[in-house]
Amino acid sequence: MELLNIKREVERLSNILAKAEGCLDVRELSARIEYLNQLISQSTFWDNSATFYQILQEIEHLNATKKQYQRSHVILDEIEAALELLESYANEELLLEAQTNLTQLQQELETLEIQQLLSDPHDQKGAFLAITAEVGSIDAQSWAAMLLHLYHRWAVNHNHKVYLVQESAGDLGGFKHATLEIIGRYAYGWLKSEQGTHARIERISPVDGNGKRHTCLASVEVSPILDESIDFDIPEKHLEITLPRHRGNVNRPETWAQVFHIPTGISVFCKEERSQMQNKEKALAILKSKLFAMPTAGYAYALAQNVQQVDEIQPRLIKSLSSKLIREYILHPYTKVKDLRTNVETPATTEVLDGKIDLFIKAYLQQLNHTTSVSKEALDNFK
């Protein structure tokens, strides 16, 4: 029976892989890689820095996609070869190997399915992920620390590099605010669905379902890590940059930097880098990322549309996407995590808090992708 179940799952995964390849057209992908490589070989290729950077990025992406499909085929072939042998004679070691490969193939194709839902050109970028605790709540600061662990584990599980680039410690532990820099392909595309307010809920009375609830909130904001292909400048008159006046102890000089954006009221404080210059550059990079990812009322949008009256943009026009409640994590007296947008839920709170959130990400991307009539608000809220 176990062998039969493996066969059925292999057949299902084989169909998924064939369908994915049909949508992608692998032959067209290989032709595109060959064409771009021919462009690189031309002597004039390096004359335009903006163009060559975009082409190099595209080649890297196409090669990674091709290798991903090739790897899936290799795993599938190994499973099918093992199944043929297992039909002739029982072998526990070979069965275990087939099961291990099957799990890996399931993960590979899960990743491919989600990536097919990410069509925005910026989805492939890394991400800045900022977590902010509810103002004045010590419990919310503890909750923010739990979310920080969640997203750190998610990044590690997806083989991304992750760094804490900004933090403001809480009053009694936890965080008031923290920002992660997550470097890896599709980090932004996956994590942008996490933008919103996350609620931790614990009921005071374990016997009364209508009893009081203790709720603490933390907001998550996600923006793409920009590269040379995204080029816009922030006018100096819109910036207020604060650096430490005194270096303090010569053995441990203060190196923090704070950047305040006057039109929108966004403030970024960095102290995790080694030098003051590095902290200033990181703060500016985070600010640019936030501005770029704003809805259409935002500053970067105005610049992209060549709007001349950028000075007239007011903070009240900047719609916060992180204020909308998107997910509840019920921890007592029972356990359940429920996404309020898709109604997907699971009782496995321990696994979710350890970074296993792909079921929520996939469900939301599928819901967004299958919407036939998308309102302007939806488009503004999900770049």
Side-chain angles (χ1 to χ4, degrees):
M1 184 64 181
E2 189 172 19
L3 193 60
L4 180 60
N5 289 336
I6 293 177
K7 286 182 178 180
R8 288 172 177 169
E9 181 63 6
V10 167
E11 184 178 356
R12 185 184 75 85
L13 295 176
S14 179
N15 290 333
I16 291 175
L17 183 57
K19 182 179 178 181
E21 287 183 320
C23 295
L24 178 69
D25 195 336
V26 177
R27 288 178 297 180
E28 185 176 316
L29 182 148
S30 298
R32 178 65 177 171
I33 292 174
E34 184 178 351
Y35 169 72
L36 293 176
N37 283 327
Q38 289 176 355
L39 288 181
I40 291 178
S41 64
Q42 296 177 6
S43 59
T44 58
F45 172 74
W46 305 98
D47 294 343
N48 188 328
S49 60
T51 301
F52 79 65
Y53 190 85
Q54 291 179 14
I55 290 176
L56 290 176
Q57 272 197 320
E58 184 179 357
I59 291 176
E60 181 182 2
H61 164 61
L62 294 176
N63 278 323
T65 302
K66 185 176 180 180
K67 288 179 181 178
Q68 195 170 20
Y69 278 95
Q70 290 173 338
R71 187 168 59 247
S72 296
H73 273 292
V74 168
I75 298 171
L76 183 62
D77 290 343
E78 289 177 353
I79 297 172
E80 290 175 339
L83 290 177
E84 287 185 12
L85 293 174
L86 287 169
E87 286 180 345
S88 302
Y89 67 96
N91 185 302
E92 286 296 325
E93 185 176 342
L94 192 58
L95 179 61
L96 180 61
E97 181 183 337
Q99 291 172 328
T100 301
N101 284 335
L102 183 64
T103 300
Q104 184 180 351
L105 184 61
Q106 288 170 330
Q107 293 171 346
E108 291 275 350
L109 295 183
E110 177 82 6
T111 299
L112 280 173
E113 281 187 295
I114 293 177
Q115 288 178 358
Q116 286 182 336
L117 301 174
L118 302 174
S119 57
D120 190 285
H122 307 298
D123 286 340
Q124 299 173 29
K125 299 184 185 301
F128 288 116
L129 187 144
I131 303 168
T132 304
E134 180 185 13
V135 176
S137 170
I138 293 176
D139 287 334
Q141 294 169 12
S142 173
W143 174 227
M146 293 175 69
L147 288 175
L148 186 74
H149 170 80
L150 184 161
Y151 292 114
H152 188 280
R153 289 297 304 157
W154 180 90
V156 171
N157 291 339
H158 285 75
N159 298 315
H160 296 327
K161 295 180 181 179
V162 55
Y163 305 97
L164 180 65
V165 296
Q166 185 184 10
E167 68 167 301
S168 176
D171 300 319
L172 294 174
F175 291 97
K176 294 179 181 178
H177 179 83
T179 300
L180 293 175
E181 181 179 23
I182 302 172
I183 302 174
R185 290 181 63 248
Y186 286 104
Y188 175 65
W190 286 57
L191 289 173
K192 66 184 182 182
S193 63
E194 292 299 291
Q195 184 153 266
T197 295
H198 298 242
R200 185 182 72 183
I201 299 172
E202 295 178 284
R203 295 188 185 276
I204 294 176
S205 172
V207 295
D208 183 4
N210 296 317
K212 294 182 179 180
R213 302 194 312 174
H214 179 71
T215 303
C216 52
L217 307 173
S219 63
V220 173
E221 181 183 1
V222 186
S223 56
I225 298 175
L226 304 181
D227 50 43
E228 287 83 346
S229 64
I230 307 297
D231 185 23
F232 70 90
D233 294 319
I234 304 174
E236 289 186 13
K237 64 181 180 180
H238 290 170
L239 294 173
E240 186 178 288
I241 299 176
T242 306
L243 304 173
R245 293 182 178 180
H246 305 289
R247 289 303 183 97
N249 189 323
V250 294
N251 295 320
R252 299 186 64 183
E254 291 187 83
T255 60
W256 59 265
Q258 180 170 319
V259 176
F260 179 75
H261 186 249
I262 298 170
T264 61
I266 295 175
S267 181
V268 180
F269 179 88
C270 283
K271 65 175 183 178
E272 304 303 317
E273 302 295 330
R274 292 185 177 183
S275 72
Q276 191 176 91
M277 180 62 69
Q278 288 175 319
N279 278 315
K280 178 183 173 182
E281 290 176 353
K282 183 66 69 176
L284 284 169
I286 295 173
L287 174 61
K288 265 194 171 184
S289 175
K290 287 176 178 287
L291 293 174
F292 181 82
M294 274 184 175
T296 53
Y299 172 85
Y301 176 83
L303 284 181
Q305 300 300 317
N306 294 317
V307 176
Q308 299 301 315
Q309 295 82 14
V310 289
D311 290 333
E312 297 179 7
I313 294 177
Q314 300 296 322
R316 63 182 175 80
L317 295 178
I318 306 304
K319 181 169 57 176
S320 174
L321 302 185
S322 58
S323 61
K324 182 180 180 181
L325 183 63
I326 66 164
R327 193 172 300 149
E328 292 180 342
Y329 304 71
I330 301 174
L331 305 183
H332 187 271
Y334 60 91
T335 61
K336 181 174 73 173
V337 182
K338 180 176 181 178
D339 193 283
L340 304 179
R341 301 161 301 178
T342 62
N343 290 323
V344 170
E345 60 183 61
T346 175
T349 56
T350 301
E351 288 80 358
V352 170
L353 292 173
D354 199 40
K356 293 180 173 60
I357 56 173
D358 287 358
L359 75 162
F360 300 117
I361 293 174
K362 182 179 179 181
Y364 185 56
L365 291 174
Q366 286 177 329
Q367 176 176 286
L368 192 75
N369 192 58
H370 293 161
T371 301
T372 56
S373 177
V374 182
S375 66
K376 184 178 184 301
E377 180 182 0
L379 290 173
D380 287 349
N381 286 356
F382 204 85
K383 293 181 74 66

